[in-house]
Amino acid sequence: MEVKNKIERIVVECLIILAEEEKIKSFEKPTSDTKIASQVDSMSLVALSVDIEEKYEEVFDKEIKVLNESEANFLLNFENVTSLVEYISKL
Amino acid sequence: MGSYIKDVACFFPSNVLYNDDLQRDFPDRNVAKMGNKIGIHKRYIVGNSETALDLAEGACNKLFEKHDKAKIDFIILCTQSPDYYLPTSACILQKKLGLSKSIGAFDINQGCSGFVYGLSIAKGLIEASIASNILLVMADTYSKHINKEDLGNRLIFGDAATAILVEKSNKQQIGNFVLGTDGNGYNNLIVPNGGMRCRFNPDSEVVIGDRNDKRSDNDLYMNGSEIFYFVGKEIPLVIDETLSKNNLIKDNIDFYLFHQANEYMINFLAKKLKIKSERYYNNIEDIGNTVSSTIPIALKRSLEKGLIKKGDRVMLCGFGVGYSWGAVIIEI
């Protein structure tokens, strides 16, 4: 649980950064239900992924790849905050 | 013995393609929104009978308005849109420009890293006393590779050529290079048909991509997300390595000129590298991504606008198709 909480904090922090940079209102105060993939284009999704990977490495001292387009239905991982946290926790 | 970039000349075709023109071709897409995201609002496109070699000739003639072409003793031409498989475009350029027969000339096939690669070769030729006055030419017409129904790529790419004079000098103003390659990404930016492995096929099936862009294997394919991901992960490391190889730190660099892929990507890269907005340059709004010419065009415009001045240290970094990348620090 502790790990998932930390991951959620990372995702939320990165969404808030993206909200500031790209004026995405729904990311200003993200909750576990906040939708992600439907709110951004592919470039923003890559930017978010790279930001999350960097913060994850800082916190957990481990490299991960969040955005993996070779996976079938990879966008489902980005459906909302909960699905993304769940996905990252399994990497 | 050293070398330096003496001058740069830029040349664009006369046809202009505005985002409004594309909106007319794609009434169901929000072209303005896409254009704003990547920071490109117009680009120059060659006519049907115009080629990269024609643009190269135009750029060189502009350069020779101020410099003596009789001094040129080597041509390096970088293009991924040559007139022929063989001979090289550089040989034809020698004839078109009326240059001496006692010069070396060859093409290099690189894309967005091409200027840095070409500069590294030019520096090497000068250091080896093989040449002293090198005509380094970048010329690309990606528009000829792009399917007319592929809005994403038509928005991004523009055609252009640049001619750069690299000369021998007493002081070394071109620093140590970092060059890199990762062929694992070869199929993320590719024209699959037309070479020897898969010949051009007029019956190649037209496929519709994720964003309704259409293309066949005769056309340019770009997986923008994968390329962006590669840039976001790899290029900050390349910048650090280049600083280290030149015994410098970030604060020693006065200005950064990245390959002008698109504005969003450049801004993201600058954020990752913690580079303030006044120390890097976005200049593709009116020309698009001109592939190998983006860095020399940005260099020329930065000088003209006074963003960089004599004595400044400038980091040049190109990256893209291959994957291939290169970086170097020059002194103006």
Side-chain angles (χ1 to χ4, degrees):
Chain A
M1 204 58 193
E2 171 71 6
V3 171
K4 278 195 182 175
N5 286 342
K6 283 184 181 174
I7 295 171
E8 182 161 345
R9 230 171 295 146
I10 290 169
V11 171
V12 165
E13 274 177 35
C14 293
L15 285 172
I16 292 170
I17 292 170
L18 202 62
E20 285 170 11
E21 288 173 351
E22 303 196 21
K23 314 282 177 251
I24 303 170
K25 222 163 169 47
S26 61
F27 291 173
E28 285 175 358
K29 289 177 184 167
T31 67
S32 48
D33 295 329
T34 299
K35 293 194 182 311
I36 301 175
S38 60
Q39 305 300 304
V40 294
D41 62 21
S42 57
M43 281 201 289
S44 300
L45 207 59
V46 175
L48 175 67
S49 303
V50 174
D51 281 348
I52 290 172
E53 286 172 13
E54 273 188 12
K55 282 196 188 293
Y56 185 97
E57 195 177 346
E58 281 170 25
V59 173
F60 295 103
D61 197 23
K62 181 186 163 192
E63 276 189 51
I64 56 167
K65 184 167 184 185
V66 175
L67 186 67
N68 197 343
E69 288 197 30
S70 58
E71 272 183 27
N73 301 321
F74 74 96
L75 276 178
L76 289 178
N77 302 327
F78 289 84
E79 188 179 358
N80 55 36
V81 170
T82 301
S83 64
L84 187 53
V85 170
E86 193 64 34
Y87 173 69
I88 294 172
S89 68
K90 290 177 185 159
L91 291 174
Chain B
M1 188 196 305
S3 48
Y4 75 116
I5 296 172
K6 187 168 186 177
D7 204 355
V8 178
C10 310
F11 189 83
F12 301 96
S14 52
N15 298 338
V16 183
L17 180 67
Y18 292 93
N19 288 5
D20 287 348
D21 301 323
L22 290 168
Q23 186 66 74
R24 275 191 288 278
D25 289 350
F26 298 88
D28 299 333
R29 310 278 296 274
N30 191 340
V31 175
K33 187 178 175 189
M34 293 168 75
N36 287 338
K37 177 91 182 192
I38 59 174
I40 300 170
H41 302 291
K42 70 179 240 205
R43 71 288 296 146
Y44 296 89
I45 301 295
V46 285
N48 286 339
S49 60
E50 200 174 16
T51 70
L53 184 57
D54 297 327
L55 300 184
E57 184 184 6
C60 292
N61 282 331
K62 268 181 94 171
L63 191 74
F64 295 148
E65 286 171 9
K66 290 200 287 176
H67 303 279
D68 182 7
K69 67 180 179 184
K71 281 186 177 177
I72 299 298
D73 54 11
F74 215 105
I75 302 172
I76 303 167
L77 193 155
C78 176
T79 186
Q80 292 192 317
S81 22
D83 276 24
Y84 308 104
Y85 279 126
L86 56 102
T88 65
S89 295
C91 291
I92 307 171
L93 188 63
Q94 177 268 346
K95 170 192 169 288
K96 280 174 172 275
L97 296 173
L99 298 182
S100 160
K101 284 199 279 185
S102 59
I103 69 170
F106 59 73
D107 285 4
I108 58 171
N109 177 339
Q110 282 288 16
C112 306
S113 65
F115 175 64
V116 177
Y117 267 77
L119 194 59
S120 74
I121 297 166
K123 180 184 175 184
L125 290 170
I126 290 170
E127 283 193 349
S129 299
I130 293 168
S132 306
N133 298 281
I134 296 176
L135 181 60
L136 177 59
V137 186
M138 308 286 128
D140 277 298
T141 54
Y142 264 33
S143 68
K144 287 187 184 286
H145 295 308
I146 298 171
N147 191 300
K148 291 281 177 257
E149 295 190 69
D150 180 353
L151 173 61
N153 283 323
R154 286 184 73 192
L155 260 173
I156 290 173
F157 291 104
D159 301 331
T162 43
I164 303 102
L165 195 53
V166 184
E167 281 197 2
K168 185 167 95 172
S169 66
N170 293 327
K171 186 182 174 193
Q172 185 54 274
Q173 289 176 242
I174 301 173
N176 298 323
F177 286 81
V178 169
L179 302 175
T181 308
D182 182 2
N184 286 308
Y186 84 96
N187 56 358
N188 286 325
L189 184 41
I190 187 170
V191 180
N193 288 354
M196 295 301 142
R197 186 161 299 278
C198 304
R199 305 307 298 266
F200 178 83
N201 176 6
D203 300 321
S204 188
E205 184 191 4
V206 173
V207 293
I208 302 175
D210 296 341
R211 296 162 197 93
N212 290 324
D213 286 327
K214 293 178 187 168
R215 53 168 292 279
S216 79
D217 278 351
N218 297 324
D219 307 314
L220 181 87
Y221 165 73
M222 180 165 73
N223 184 334
S225 299
E226 282 294 330
I227 303 262
F228 184 15
Y229 186 82
F230 141 71
V231 171
K233 300 293 274 191
E234 192 68 45
I235 300 308
L237 305 176
V238 174
I239 297 296
D240 286 345
E241 192 185 345
T242 308
L243 289 166
S244 167
K245 209 168 175 182
N246 287 278
N247 299 313
L248 295 169
I249 59 170
K250 272 182 191 150
D251 285 348
N252 298 137
I253 303 300
D254 297 294
F255 208 69
Y256 291 80
L257 292 175
F258 297 109
H259 160 57
Q260 305 282 301
N262 71 61
E263 190 179 85
Y264 186 87
M265 195 187 285
I266 301 296
N267 288 341
F268 182 75
L269 202 48
K271 182 184 88 170
K272 290 283 138 214
L273 288 160
K274 298 184 172 61
I275 301 169
K276 291 180 181 161
S277 59
E278 62 270 22
R279 290 177 64 199
Y280 71 97
Y281 192 34
N282 268 317
N283 81 322
I284 53 173
E285 183 186 15
D286 62 331
I287 52 173
N289 175 343
T290 55
V291 192
S292 57
S293 279
T294 68
I295 296 175
I297 293 170
L299 178 61
K300 176 84 174 170
R301 288 180 165 187
S302 304
L303 283 162
E304 285 172 351
K305 285 175 179 283
L307 299 171
I308 51 180
K309 57 189 184 307
K310 197 164 175 53
D312 278 357
R313 281 199 192 104
V314 180
M315 171 83 77
L316 311 178
C317 181
F319 44 80
V321 57
Y323 302 137
S324 169
W325 60 88
V328 65
I329 297 160
I330 61 165
E331 189 183 315
I332 302 297

